[in-house]
Amino acid sequence: MRITVFFSLLFVTSFCIGQERAEAIVWDGDILDLKTLTMLPMHAEKPEFVWDLDKLIASPVNHTDIGVDTLEFEKWRLQYRITLHDYFTDDAITGYSIVAETMPKPKAGWKYTTEQAKALGRNMQVIFDDNKLIVAVFSPIASGCDLVCINLQTGREIWHAEVEQLLVDHSQYLNNVYLDKFDDKIVLVGNEIGGAYVQIFDSATGKNLFTRTRSK
């Protein structure tokens, strides 16, 4: 049975684009300054707002594999519905499709499909950056994550990031992904059963600016 999950824009933005932006990431006791992408010395003054990954990664990993992930929101006085689907080639899943429709009655929008994904899945984390839709695609029961930036009006791919994958052993699948934005940077956090990572990308180009991983 396929399950459709609806998210309101308020729910998504409560974590992704809140008013109090994290200025730094705390992980294993180290502090990463998101402005400079440098590690702060121990005697440095800690920024007022931090994202504590130690607490995040210690939390239970989500392992609900949904049928179709769906996001509904309002933009430019239009109601949008974004859905994530498997893409099949010869009865095998080879990629994914992101479909945008306007509401309340579904109308023609756009469909973005990729077969160049580094990871497949039925779950997505989404953030908005002006007219851009940045989507992290992953499966809670498989290792890896894919990150793509799409023009919200046209469905055209703006960039497709090179996400460093953990390649967790097949018997240890469990995966959760978090997405955030700081100034001109996209922050991607992966929490897998066999490891975790922080990866930071340029929001304009998708270039990987910083990667740090650890095993569990």
Side-chain angles (χ1 to χ4, degrees):
M1 178 179 179
R2 301 183 69 81
I3 305 173
T4 303
V5 177
F6 294 93
F7 299 89
S8 69
L9 181 60
L10 178 62
F11 175 82
V12 174
T13 55
S14 64
F15 177 79
C16 293
I17 50 178
Q19 292 183 349
E20 295 184 343
R21 311 287 318 146
E23 299 175 359
I25 289 175
V26 177
W27 192 17
D28 288 340
D30 295 327
I31 301 176
L32 172 66
D33 188 323
L34 288 174
K35 294 180 180 179
T36 62
L37 296 185
T38 57
M39 306 306 297
L40 297 178
M42 294 299 295
H43 62 273
E45 182 179 354
K46 182 181 294 187
E48 184 175 359
F49 302 114
V50 298
W51 191 5
D52 192 336
L53 297 190
D54 292 321
K55 293 181 179 178
L56 180 69
I57 292 173
S59 62
V61 176
N62 178 15
H63 54 85
T64 301
D65 189 20
I66 61 179
V68 175
D69 205 347
T70 302
L71 168 67
E72 292 186 351
F73 60 94
E74 183 175 341
K75 187 78 169 179
W76 306 306
R77 297 184 179 180
L78 292 174
Q79 293 289 335
Y80 277 86
R81 174 183 290 172
I82 304 292
T83 54
L84 176 66
H85 307 264
D86 294 330
Y87 180 77
F88 290 85
T89 301
D90 296 329
D91 296 327
I93 300 173
T94 57
Y96 58 82
S97 294
I98 299 172
V99 178
E101 300 171 307
T102 56
M103 304 294 289
K105 293 183 179 180
K107 300 178 182 178
W110 50 257
K111 182 177 182 179
Y112 167 82
T113 298
T114 180
E115 295 185 69
Q116 305 300 318
K118 290 295 185 71
L120 302 177
R122 296 179 175 180
N123 291 55
M124 61 180 172
Q125 292 284 354
V126 180
I127 58 176
F128 301 93
D129 183 17
D130 295 328
N131 69 328
K132 295 183 291 186
L133 193 69
I134 300 170
V135 185
V137 177
F138 67 102
S139 169
I141 57 172
S143 179
C145 176
D146 200 46
L147 185 65
V148 64
C149 178
I150 304 168
N151 185 298
L152 180 57
Q153 293 174 294
T154 66
R156 180 180 63 87
E157 179 184 300
I158 299 173
W159 49 256
H160 200 150
E162 288 292 330
V163 178
E164 185 172 321
Q165 308 295 328
L166 291 181
L167 302 176
V168 177
D169 183 74
H170 189 284
S171 64
Q172 295 183 321
Y173 284 168
L174 280 183
N175 185 14
N176 216 356
V177 168
Y178 309 88
L179 200 57
D180 201 357
K181 185 177 185 294
F182 177 81
D183 290 342
D184 58 350
K185 303 177 184 72
I186 303 300
V187 183
L188 176 69
V189 176
N191 181 20
E192 302 191 22
I193 196 69
Y197 58 79
V198 177
Q199 300 187 52
I200 300 176
F201 303 85
D202 184 285
S203 63
T205 66
K207 180 181 179 181
N208 194 319
L209 304 174
F210 176 91
T211 297
R212 181 175 180 179
T213 63
R214 79 174 188 190
S215 299
K216 292 185 178 179

